[in-house]
């Protein structure tokens, strides 16, 4: 591990729901499909690495695209759950990211809603760059500090400022909250080339509000589709923001 990484963190506890905050909502699972739709036509063929699997829902989606998929996870409990959800061919590796040393390089690496959890994000991004093939791509997705719903929470006085880490977020392992400028700065500092940035899904409501509205029938799939399309026009107001990264000096994927 890097010297500054916190080895005392219990990765089997950070995903537990608390009295005031769930770790994952149904809305989060819906977002997986929208993320991959945002990446359509940009996914290199070949070997893929997923960093962090939670309960394996995104793993299943990636395995349908990448038959050669390795999933790296620091929680033994989450791997046990994800193995049951994912196809048999997925190679699960139990390891903290800082300790991982792959024998071969990857054509695609996915770091979705995970970078904000890391103690040393720039150092980790720098290491991931060495795991990519020359035409490989890293897909980084993080929650957006400037999502419309979060800006409303700031205006209501529920959050001090957009990039704040709330106590509930910290308890669930968040160590920072990114906006597009902050994400781009960390990518550049890590020596990666930023191929594209954008947002996924215009977000007027909080996750728990989306769950309630969908369950009640107050909003339907056409509303959600509208939010996805609007997100391409207003990335700074989206639920998530992303950066597609390449090794410095790398060319386009075949």
């Amino acid at each position: 591990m890097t010297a500054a990484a916190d080895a005392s963190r219990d990765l089997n506890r950070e995903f537990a729901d608390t009295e005031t905050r769930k770790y994952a909502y149904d809305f989060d699972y819906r977002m997986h499909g929208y993320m991959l739709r945002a990446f359509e036509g940009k996914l290199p063929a070949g070997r893929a690495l997923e960093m962090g699997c939670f309960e394996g829902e995104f793993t299943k989606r990636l395995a349908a695209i990448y038959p050669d998929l390795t999933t790296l996870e620091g929680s033994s409990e989450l791997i046990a759950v994800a193995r049951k959800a994912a196809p048999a061919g997925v190679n699960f590796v139990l390891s903290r990211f800082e300790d991982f040393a792959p024998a071969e390089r990857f054509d695609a690496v996915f770091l979705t809603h995970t970078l904000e959890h890391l103690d040393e994000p720039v150092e980790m991004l720098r290491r991931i760059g060495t795991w990519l093939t020359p035409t490989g791509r890293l897909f980084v997705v993080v929650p957006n500090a400037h999502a419309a719903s979060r800006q409303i929470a700031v205006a209501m006085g529920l959050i001090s400022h957009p990039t704040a880490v709330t106590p509930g977020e910290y308890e669930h392992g968040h160590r920072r909250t990114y906006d597009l400028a902050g994400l781009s700065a960390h990518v550049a500092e890590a020596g990666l080339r930023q191929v594209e940035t954008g947002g996924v899904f215009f977000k007027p409501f909080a996750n728990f509000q989306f769950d309630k509205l969908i369950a009640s029938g107050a909003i339907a799939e056409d509303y959600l589709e509208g939010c996805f399309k609007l997100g391409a026009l207003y990335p700074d107001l989206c639920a998530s923001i992303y950066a597609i990264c390449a090794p410095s000096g790398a060319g386009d994927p075949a």
Side-chain angles (χ1 to χ4, degrees):
M1 301 180 76
T2 59
D6 185 357
S8 68
R9 290 174 63 175
D10 185 347
L11 301 183
N12 280 326
R13 290 180 59 86
E14 290 183 357
F15 64 85
D17 292 342
T18 67
E19 291 184 1
T20 58
R21 189 174 188 271
K22 291 177 64 176
Y23 186 84
Y25 294 82
D26 290 343
F27 176 77
D28 293 301
Y29 296 120
R30 286 176 174 269
M31 282 295 297
H32 294 166
Y34 293 122
M35 290 176 191
L36 290 175
R37 282 179 62 185
F39 298 148
E40 282 179 2
K42 305 162 189 175
L43 298 172
R47 301 182 68 244
L49 173 68
E50 176 192 29
M51 299 183 67
C53 64
F54 190 49
E55 295 179 341
E57 293 301 313
F58 195 62
T59 309
K60 286 194 297 186
R61 290 180 181 270
L62 286 179
I65 301 170
Y66 290 99
D68 190 347
L69 174 64
T70 296
T71 293
L72 178 65
E73 173 57 56
S75 165
S76 58
E77 293 181 11
L78 288 180
I79 284 185
V81 175
R83 280 188 192 277
K84 297 176 182 179
V90 176
N91 175 34
F92 284 93
V93 177
L94 175 61
S95 172
R96 289 180 181 259
F97 296 167
E98 297 86 356
D99 297 330
F100 184 59
E104 298 181 84
R105 294 190 179 189
F106 298 95
D107 301 289
V109 176
F110 296 88
L111 194 65
T112 58
H113 283 211
T114 303
L115 187 67
E116 69 275 10
H117 291 255
L118 302 184
D119 294 310
E120 292 291 323
V122 173
E123 176 60 25
M124 193 70 255
L125 289 172
R126 186 177 291 116
R127 291 194 65 205
I128 294 171
T130 69
W131 302 345
L132 293 169
T133 62
T135 56
R137 292 292 183 263
L138 165 63
F139 297 84
V140 184
V141 187
V142 293
N144 180 19
H146 291 293
S149 60
R150 191 173 180 92
Q151 293 196 57
I152 291 170
V154 172
M156 292 172 64
L158 300 177
I159 302 175
S160 61
H161 57 284
T163 57
V165 176
T166 68
E169 289 168 340
Y170 191 88
E171 191 171 354
H172 278 152
H174 289 220
R175 294 300 178 260
R176 62 199 48 79
T177 307
Y178 282 102
D179 56 16
L180 277 168
L183 179 59
S184 294
H186 274 184
V187 167
E189 191 177 345
L192 295 168
R193 180 166 64 86
Q194 195 164 260
V195 177
E196 178 181 313
T197 62
V200 183
F201 197 93
F202 176 81
K203 191 186 183 193
F205 305 113
N207 292 13
F208 77 92
Q209 292 171 323
F210 263 113
D211 279 5
K212 289 182 178 180
L213 289 166
I214 293 169
S216 70
I219 61 176
E221 293 298 326
D222 56 349
Y223 184 92
L224 300 175
E225 183 66 16
C227 287
F228 173 70
K229 292 178 178 177
L230 199 60
L233 301 177
Y234 301 102
D236 200 43
L237 299 176
C238 283
S240 298
I241 49 177
Y242 68 82
I244 303 176
C245 312
S248 180
D252 293 329

